[in-house]
Amino acid sequence: MPLTLEIVTPEAQVYSDTIDTVVIPTVQGEIGILPGHIPLLTQIEDGELRVTKNGQTQLLVIGGGFAEVEGDHVHILAEHAVNEDTIDEAAVEEALRRAEAQLKEAAGLDPNEFEHLQGMVRFAGVQLAIKRRSR
Amino acid sequence: MASTRDIRRRIKSVKNTRQITKAMELVAASKMKKAQQLALAGRPYAELMSKMLAALADRVEESQHPFLTQRPVKTRGILVITTDKGLAGPLNANVLKLVTEVKTPAKFYAIGRKGAQFLARTKRDMVADFTVSDRAAFSEVKPVVEFMMQQYLDGVIDTIEVIYPRFKNTLVQLPVVRPVLPLKNVQEFVAQAEADVGGAAQPSTDTREMLFEPSATQVLEALLPFYVNRHIYQLVLSAKASEHSARMVAMKTAKDNATKLLSDLTLEYNKARQAGITAEILEIAAAQFAAS
């Protein structure tokens, strides 16, 4: 019995497919989900998500959110999610610099804006780390 | 028959009106595109989250979190989302009609000036009003939601509901009352919404107890406020998309009307002008006839 994995972000539905296993980065470390997993609700941390389908492993970088396992459905709500192949290192570096510059300006201004920028910086950092490691 | 000069003056003013409505239509159209994209892109996220939460409400003990507990409703907390500016056709009127249908005691919160003005005028219990710019950033909506959640936790209000124009497509925006808290209400709403679309709500088949990592309290503590924030943000996006769509349609109608009026007036003007010329020729001819 295969699992159905669904990943959605506020911008789009990133992934929807039947898969064999998935490894989710949670605040308490990685959790591997196999078919028949007990119902689970957990908090996701920025990191890499490994999806295995027919022996092929696919890497996605996801940032912050929640995951729910129920029956043979895995639902993931993430702030961001990108496929590892599509990460453009230069663009991410650029985004990281921009966000850091804004962060310096925004310090002590609007706490909500600040939080948002911090999230962006963190996510960009994780993307870079994973992209570089996989080379 | 009106004099040609009067008609000319009217033609000029109608032309001006048409120019303005046309410009507004174009502006609304470009804003609409962006707003619609945002609203539609975020919909799967919001819907999945609602579903997830609805399932969750089944599985956890009520006492674990105040957002899950259903308490006797003394005062409803209702957030009314309207536009800041008018000229959006019947959009605001439809939303505010739903407000007048609220008969039970309620406290109101407003996003958008039109709604705030209405609540003040009809002397309803309005606690706070907020403005959200056209950009509708998440950080603009968050203070509103945090404020309402605080009031909910303090027991000032016993529900959180949102009245907003739900964006269906460019021509149709349906005002709806959407329950947000407590979650039991959401469950009913989701089931109903799914029944409306035709897909039967499938009760979860997995009856094993749910596991929380790291712990139930910790996850719920993070997830529930996050849900309320995200959810209401999505509703604001939907309302923005509705606003620009309604405005564009209203402006298009106004422009078409102006064009029609203009062609009627031009016809009348030409008739009047022709009548004047005919009368003049008659006069000259009559004078010549008399002189000869």
Side-chain angles (χ1 to χ4, degrees):
Chain A
M1 187 178 70
L3 284 166
T4 320
L5 174 67
E6 235 184 299
I7 304 177
V8 250
T9 68
E11 280 90 38
Q13 180 161 34
V14 182
Y15 196 96
S16 176
D17 205 352
T18 52
I19 53 149
D20 297 329
T21 69
V22 57
V23 179
I24 304 171
T26 76
V27 284
Q28 285 208 315
E30 292 188 330
I31 293 185
I33 311 285
L34 285 161
H37 199 282
I38 195 167
L40 169 79
L41 185 71
T42 184
Q43 213 177 334
I44 299 176
E45 211 167 42
D46 295 18
E48 59 169 359
L49 182 109
R50 286 196 300 277
V51 183
T52 314
K53 187 186 178 182
N54 305 330
Q56 300 247 324
T57 305
Q58 203 184 354
L59 267 182
L60 280 95
V61 184
I62 67 170
F66 297 92
E68 186 203 36
V69 182
E70 211 207 7
D72 46 2
H73 291 276
V74 183
H75 297 143
I76 293 180
L77 289 172
E79 283 292 292
H80 323 270
V82 281
N83 206 318
E84 195 250 357
D85 307 329
T86 59
I87 296 175
D88 177 356
E89 211 174 299
V92 176
E93 261 176 29
E94 175 59 33
L96 180 62
R97 256 199 305 281
R98 235 187 359 251
E100 270 173 346
Q102 276 179 323
L103 199 57
K104 271 197 200 103
E105 273 172 41
L109 284 176
D110 184 353
N112 293 321
E113 195 67 34
F114 191 72
E115 208 175 289
H116 172 71
L117 286 171
Q118 267 184 336
M120 297 232 303
V121 169
R122 209 171 44 230
F123 183 62
V126 173
Q127 278 184 66
L128 283 181
I130 290 171
K131 185 76 185 173
R132 286 189 181 138
R133 194 207 54 201
S134 64
R135 255 191 322 213
Chain B
M1 193 178 260
S3 77
T4 48
R5 198 196 292 168
D6 282 345
I7 301 178
R8 236 188 355 238
R9 201 182 295 141
R10 281 200 63 198
I11 289 182
K12 219 168 163 188
S13 93
V14 172
K15 254 188 191 154
N16 274 338
T17 311
R18 186 176 65 166
Q19 220 161 33
I20 293 170
T21 50
K22 195 174 166 189
M24 287 183 74
E25 184 197 337
L26 292 177
V27 170
S30 87
K31 282 187 182 168
M32 175 186 84
K33 224 182 219 164
K34 260 183 253 159
Q36 283 187 2
Q37 247 165 18
L38 266 179
L40 292 178
R43 200 169 271 175
Y45 186 81
E47 254 147 41
L48 180 59
M49 189 149 61
S50 293
K51 250 189 244 172
M52 214 160 120
L53 264 294
L56 182 74
D58 259 350
R59 293 174 166 273
V60 287
E61 305 264 319
E62 282 210 338
S63 54
Q64 270 172 333
H65 198 281
F67 284 2
L68 297 170
T69 339
Q70 194 160 27
R71 45 190 194 217
V73 177
K74 288 198 287 285
T75 324
R76 291 163 71 185
I78 300 176
L79 176 67
V80 183
I81 307 180
T82 54
T83 66
D84 277 340
K85 297 183 200 116
L87 295 179
L91 187 77
N92 286 329
N94 287 343
V95 170
L96 297 174
K97 202 158 75 194
L98 275 185
V99 174
T100 58
E101 281 163 14
V102 175
K103 299 290 183 224
T104 45
K107 285 189 188 299
F108 289 94
Y109 305 77
I111 288 182
R113 257 209 342 261
K114 289 284 158 191
Q117 281 166 355
F118 174 83
L119 293 171
R121 201 167 54 234
T122 52
K123 303 207 165 46
R124 281 167 212 276
D125 190 354
M126 183 169 69
V127 185
D129 71 295
F130 302 87
T131 36
V132 172
S133 71
D134 268 350
R135 203 165 53 96
F138 185 56
S139 54
E140 284 178 293
V141 181
K142 210 172 164 199
V144 186
V145 183
E146 306 264 276
F147 181 69
M148 284 187 81
M149 283 197 287
Q150 197 51 51
Q151 297 240 306
Y152 179 85
L153 288 175
D154 291 347
V156 181
I157 49 178
D158 300 307
T159 64
I160 292 183
E161 289 159 68
V162 182
I163 298 183
Y164 75 110
R166 181 172 198 275
F167 175 76
K168 204 161 170 202
N169 56 41
T170 307
L171 293 174
V172 186
Q173 297 92 32
L174 281 177
V176 286
V177 186
R178 172 105 209 204
V180 179
L181 285 181
L183 281 173
K184 276 280 180 221
N185 296 356
V186 178
Q187 208 176 359
E188 281 161 29
F189 188 88
V190 169
Q192 200 194 341
E194 275 188 359
D196 283 348
V197 190
Q202 358 164 292
S204 81
T205 45
D206 200 339
T207 48
R208 292 172 296 180
E209 202 177 319
M210 190 164 239
L211 189 70
F212 293 93
E213 289 282 342
S215 72
T217 11
Q218 217 167 325
V219 172
L220 291 179
E221 205 63 51
L223 178 62
L224 293 172
F226 177 79
Y227 156 75
V228 179
N229 265 315
R230 269 289 163 194
H231 191 71
I232 293 185
Y233 177 58
Q234 181 59 33
L235 302 186
V236 171
L237 287 185
S238 180
K240 283 280 172 204
S242 297
E243 172 189 346
H244 294 304
S245 309
R247 177 162 302 132
M248 196 203 73
V249 171
M251 286 301 116
K252 189 172 160 32
T253 320
K255 191 196 76 184
D256 292 349
N257 281 342
T259 310
K260 194 163 163 285
L261 194 59
L262 204 59
S263 83
D264 287 353
L265 281 174
T266 314
L267 183 66
E268 204 181 312
Y269 170 74
N270 285 340
K271 269 187 191 157
R273 190 177 57 101
Q274 192 57 53
I277 293 168
T278 314
E280 239 171 75
I281 291 176
L282 264 180
E283 260 167 46
I284 293 169
Q288 218 167 25
F289 184 71
S292 65

